[in-house]
Amino acid sequence: MRYSILSVLSQALQGNTGWKPVWRDAELKPAYDIVIVGGGGHGLATAFYLAKEHGLTNVAVLEKGWLGSGNVGRNTTIIRSNYLLPGNIPFYEWSMKLWEGLEQDLNYNAMVSQRGVLNLYHSDVQRDAYARRGNAMRLHGVDADLLDREQVKALVPYLDFDNARFPIQGGLMQRRGGTVRHDAVAWGYARAADQRGVDIVQNCEVTGIRLEGGRVVGLDTAKGFVRAGKVGLACAGNSSRVAALAGLRLPIESHVLQAFVSEGIKPLIDTVITFGAGHFYISQSDKGGLVFGGDIDGYNSYAQRGNLPAVEDVCESGMALMPMIGRLRLLRSWGGLMDMSMDGSPIIDKTPIEGLYLNAGWCYGGFKATPASGWCFAHTIARDEPHTLNAAYRLDRFATGHLIDEKGAGAQPNLH
Amino acid sequence: MLLITCPYCGARPESEFRCGGEAHIARPPQPGNVDDTAWADYLFYRTNPKGVHAERWLHAHGCQRWFNMLRDTASDQVIGIYAMGKSRPDRPKT
Ligand SMILES: Cc1cc2nc3c(=O)[nH]c(=O)nc-3n(C[C@H](O)[C@H](O)[C@H](O)COP(=O)(O)OP(=O)(O)OC[C@H]3O[C@@H](n4cnc5c(N)ncnc54)[C@H](O)[C@@H]3O)c2cc1C
Ligand SMILES: [Zn+2]
């Protein structure tokens, strides 16, 4: 069914009895041209763009749980393209452009809201770094505005501007950044891929990757063996484990990142604000809850739930930025598993195994990348070579020295 | 909150410590003699298991000494603690 004003009106008249499930619960067929492992945002987007851009529809997406059970349904929904390095800016800006057309493209309301992303600075040095970042963005045609203290004050007067340790001097604003309803991204891509013939198979964990003569021939799954011409891995958080099924080692550690939501309040924060003197970022959902987060827990974990020191740290940073949130109650918190890559940047590439492709290492910034990641991964799989947009996200860059260390933190996954 | 028993100071809360990542990654003795792939493996590639993980910890806000720990990354349970330089206790000695 195509969603439109007419479909909404006619359903209203029929008492909303005619809505259909948004995608088929497909059975696993014995063979596919392409199988995508992982039904998160990136896997579903890949399947959609394989069908839409490359006409490849004999495709399955295998998801070990239910759609949206991974990070695509756990993140803090922020999208932005305020990157500095050449390998990153064009890729993330392409993602932003795809977000801007996404709802029309998918015929699905993903609540893309370009409410702006404001990165605060608290020192002269940080201002200079943001000026450099903003200039790099503008040179690539991305919007960026360097705001001074008064301009920031006019936008978000409730921050602690005169904090004794971290006074706010200004901020770098990307007005086209914002938030997107994350579940709707999974559902919208699933529906649009399904409509083009892609099979989405839930509760179907991949437990083995079968190779013959150095190439992939199929997968062992919870629902039996499936033959596959090509296999694309998009298993954020579990990439090391799934790649190990094919004997591959990755430059990745899995870490837990937590997110927090307060009780709902009236509209207060109409943008996304990031603290520059600690790791803390905050926005407000359309339901009214303040959505915020900060650092990863700091040690390898697959526990998918966080620990208390990180909770305390995030709340302290929040209090330093915006003391008024101390009056609010925390409603929920949860954790998700992330692939922390060793330079903080992702991998979208072929692997040394023929027919096996890898999409991994998204750290905590992979939600904003969802459209471009799927688009580039589909291209890489369909054409058997990376697109120029993802050409820098090579797996072998760790050996050749072409690291993309956006943060300049070195080989320390827990610092990115 | 993990309760971590520093071999020198006793049981202390997680917030006094800092994790230094996977343990027992030996630096190639003659870096000039290994190829780029082996060097990248040493610097960047990790085992990242779901299950028992041997890792280094620093008692940063305490005695500032390093030690090794075995921890289950699926449950975050601490399994054992042993001194730097000792081999992994759950591995048969060679
Ligand atoms: C708390 C939190 C906040 C975040 N905030 C932001 C943010 O504000 N902005 C941003 O850009 N990014 C953010 N991120 C990062 C972002 O969510 C991830 O980088 C991104 O969602 C990862 O891609 P994905 O959607 O494909 O992952 P997932 O949704 O995790 O998809 C991977 C899927 O693979 C499946 N899988 C794993 N192993 C197997 C197997 N063996 N067989 C079959 N399926 C398997 C998993 O079940 C999972 O569904 C955040 C992450 C977290 C945890
Ligand atoms: Zn100690």
Side-chain angles (χ1 to χ4, degrees), chain B residues 6 8-9 59 63:
Chain B
C6 169
Y8 311 102
C9 311
H59 194 182
C63 63

Side-chain angles (χ1 to χ4, degrees), chain A residues 255-257 279 294-298 310 338 340 364 413-416:
Chain A
H255 286 255
V256 168
L257 178 69
H279 200 164
D295 265 329
I296 52 177
D297 274 30
M338 274 143 334
M340 297 306 293
Y364 33 62
N414 51 10
L415 294 185
H416 288 290

Side-chain angles (χ1 to χ4, degrees), chain A residues 19 45 74 100 158 161 260 275 290 297 360 364 374 395:
Chain A
W19 295 113
R74 292 168 187 263
E100 286 170 337
Y158 39 77
F161 282 82
F260 308 86
F275 187 33
L290 302 188
D297 274 30
Y364 33 62
L395 177 56

Side-chain angles (χ1 to χ4, degrees), chain A residues 38 40-42 63-64 71-72 75-76 78 206 236 364-368:
Chain A
H42 294 214
E63 165 52 45
K64 82 172 161 166
N71 295 319
V72 67
N75 61 67
T76 38
I78 299 164
V206 169
Y364 33 62
F367 177 65
K368 66 173 108 67

Side-chain angles (χ1 to χ4, degrees), chain B residues 38-94:
Chain B
W39 187 248
D41 193 77
Y42 157 67
L43 272 184
F44 300 116
Y45 284 66
R46 297 292 180 261
T47 320
N48 196 19
K50 180 172 182 175
V52 182
H53 187 232
E55 56 198 20
R56 303 171 305 171
W57 284 77
L58 170 68
H59 194 182
H61 302 289
C63 63
Q64 300 210 354
R65 289 211 259 182
W66 287 91
F67 56 90
N68 287 318
M69 181 156 112
L70 288 181
R71 189 175 50 88
D72 188 333
T73 60
S75 62
D76 282 342
Q77 195 183 359
V78 178
I79 298 167
I81 283 174
Y82 55 105
M84 281 320 248
K86 289 272 177 312
S87 58
R88 201 177 149 153
D90 59 343
R91 284 267 164 78
K93 293 205 171 55
T94 47

Side-chain angles (χ1 to χ4, degrees), chain A residues 36-44 62-80 83 92 99 178 182 186 201 204-208 220 234-239 241-242 245 255-260 281 292-293 304 334-339 359 361-370 373:
Chain A
I36 305 297
V37 185
H42 294 214
L44 294 164
L62 310 187
E63 165 52 45
K64 82 172 161 166
W66 68 94
L67 290 195
S69 57
N71 295 319
V72 67
R74 292 168 187 263
N75 61 67
T76 38
T77 79
I78 299 164
I79 63 166
R80 57 188 173 87
Y83 280 73
Y92 285 101
W99 283 119
H182 53 199
V201 189
C204 187
E205 177 166 3
V206 169
T207 53
D220 294 303
C235 305
N238 282 288
S239 296
R241 297 177 61 219
V242 182
L245 298 175
H255 286 255
V256 168
L257 178 69
Q258 303 187 58
F260 308 86
Y281 51 90
F292 54 96
Q304 225 173 68
W334 62 89
L337 293 190
M338 274 143 334
D339 282 354
N359 179 318
W362 289 98
C363 302
Y364 33 62
F367 177 65
K368 66 173 108 67
T370 305
S373 166

